[in-house]
Amino acid sequence: MRKLLPLIGTPSQSHPGGRSAMTCRFRCGDACFHEVPNTSDNAYVGDVIAGAIGRRSVMRAAAVVTVAAAAGTAGVAGAPSAAAVPAEAAGGPGGAPGGKPGGKAARGLRYDSVAPNTADAVTVPDGYAQNVVIRWGEPILRGAPAFDPENQTAAAQAGQFGYNNDFLALLPLPGECDRQLLVANHEYTDEVLMFRGYDPANPTRGQVEVAWAAHGLAAVVVEEDRRTGRLTAVPRHHLNRRVTATTEFRLTGPAAGSDLLKTSADPTGRKVLGTLNNCSGGTTPWGTTLHGEENFNQYFAGGGRPTDKRYGIGTGATERKWERFDKRFDVAQEPNEVHRFGYVVEFDPYDPTSTPRKHTALGRFKHEAATVRLTEDGRPVVYSGDDERFDYFYKFVGSKRMKKGSSRAVREHNLSLLDEGTLYVARLTGDSPAIEIDGSGRLPADGEFDGSGVWIPIATATAEGAVSHVEGMSAEEVFVFTRLAGDKVGATKMDRPEDIQPSPVTGKVYVVLTNNGNRGVGANAKADEANPRNANKHGHILELTEGRNRPESTSFAWSLFLVAGDPDDPATYFAGFPKDDVSPISCPDNVAFDPHGNLWISTDGNQLGSHDGLFGVATRGSRRGELKQFLTVPTGAETCGPLVQDRRVLVAVQHPGEVDGATVDKPASTWPDGPGKIVRPAVVAVWRKDGRDIGV
Ligand code: FEO
Ligand code: CA
Ligand code: CA
């Protein structure tokens, strides 16, 4: 039987995405309370000519419509007629037709689902164990002091693990037995939970400088205990490194050196200090990591230009008041500094002296993440979502081929791969008549939310220069004001595009839409076939099949893989899998694949009364759509950075204790160290007590 939800309320029902007001305030600068930044009138799915039948044949569509008509009504997502469900998903070998398949869960997902709960703990399945790998403030660099939250300094913090760990990567360390290199994002700071007696109206310079040092990235070597699966940090390793809000970066690619990027401190337009609000990211096949600068707008005061408005840069003071301590955070005084944030950052963790880069060729928006795969001839393809209500998702196709090897010349070549290529934005077309998409989540007559799509080129960067494909915009403008380019070419407004991951097994691409409470509300765009629920609280996941299954393709077919929520809600859908034994899920955010090809989904902002969690779901075979919760995180926390290896699951527990009204003196959580200890974001490893692989 499906585990029932506990009857509890959340402290945050009035906040979009189920988040606390504190999360909205510190993480994204109350993005969901501001006007929707995308007021463009470009078409959306329902209005784009729906004539294309997409990947469905006319014959199949006709057959399904006949079945729906015979039943007297169109189906509802999650309760499609048996005929509308592919035979394999409906039962498959050993399963009753239309019922739950017999046999075991998909390989990799054979664990007892964790029930929804509100424990101030990381709760894992029976038979699994966990440890905290590293916490905010643990010293990782030589000379860094032990963590002392009562006497924290910027110098100490710059040598310690940063705040609010999000994206995680684990890279091999050849020659170092049982060790790997962990790279983490430190997305943002929660000052009221970091500093006792913090006064939001009057932050001190000392507090602000600690916050600068707590943002950014960390590289830290970790070592596994072969007997237990426990993973621990190795302090003072020569590859350990911190990157902060004041570390020097290089701007590269087609907009580097542009007048739009020049400031009084940097007349070259090529050198910028720091990275901000790194949310999720990706690992490249050439051994570097990518990091998305997401809600960068909230750090800048005094915006007023139309371009500022499109990016949500406010006209007044900021929440953290950094502009009082460095004028570059005041747009009125330093108008171009804000143009130097909102990029994908590339970091070379194997070279602790390297200068990290900001890639202008991948465009400027609220990058949630950046995930990479290669074309058959070795060129990089990078997917990235713009995490804003009614914004777009993008793809970059590089023109240079990756080289193999580890020489300095090869490494330098590979670090330039993301400087040349074409940036595309997605436009989706539904294959059902717009009138059949009523905003309730009810399936259209053809039994599926699906259709076709195109990647629209917006600019191309070459060694000789860059070319715009958008009328009225120069190439530099496309790369710096990418949202406006998407508006002009009629990209599809989506329900907050988060992570995008191609399956390493099937090549299908999964696009996570976390939620959009404004869909269909007031003058905002109404539901369409790719975003089929108005006031979408729980989010959904699209599955793309690119033309000929080639990553460089400019066309794709799409369908909804998952429509999230309580399975008892008829507007939910789990790829056609029967819903009596799937876990409830709300607000999918970051995703990862395990070695078996299952998709693992972390959540941010559960609206069903439970804490956030991590879930595994089969993407193929007879168990396709069977979703199982693997863990839950502590009070106020979001589940981030999931990584699933053969023998270990790694999660970043971000913003534990971030509950309205909580402070250092009045904590809502005391995770991970218990009563009397300050709450600390931390990375957690989970493994099987019997030493076997995860979920087999
Ligand atoms: Fe930082 Fe889109 O979540
Ligand atoms: Ca359809
Ligand atoms: Ca995220």
Side-chain angles (χ1 to χ4, degrees), residues 53 56 430-433 436-437 444-451 529 558:
I53 290 293
R56 305 283 164 203
D431 71 357
S432 293
E436 292 183 10
I437 310 298
D446 70 353
E448 205 165 2
F449 294 118
D450 61 346
E529 196 162 352
W558 60 268

Side-chain angles (χ1 to χ4, degrees), residues 45-54 56 58 429-433 452:
V45 178
D47 286 348
V48 173
I49 306 300
I53 290 293
R56 305 283 164 203
V58 172
T429 305
D431 71 357
S432 293
S452 58

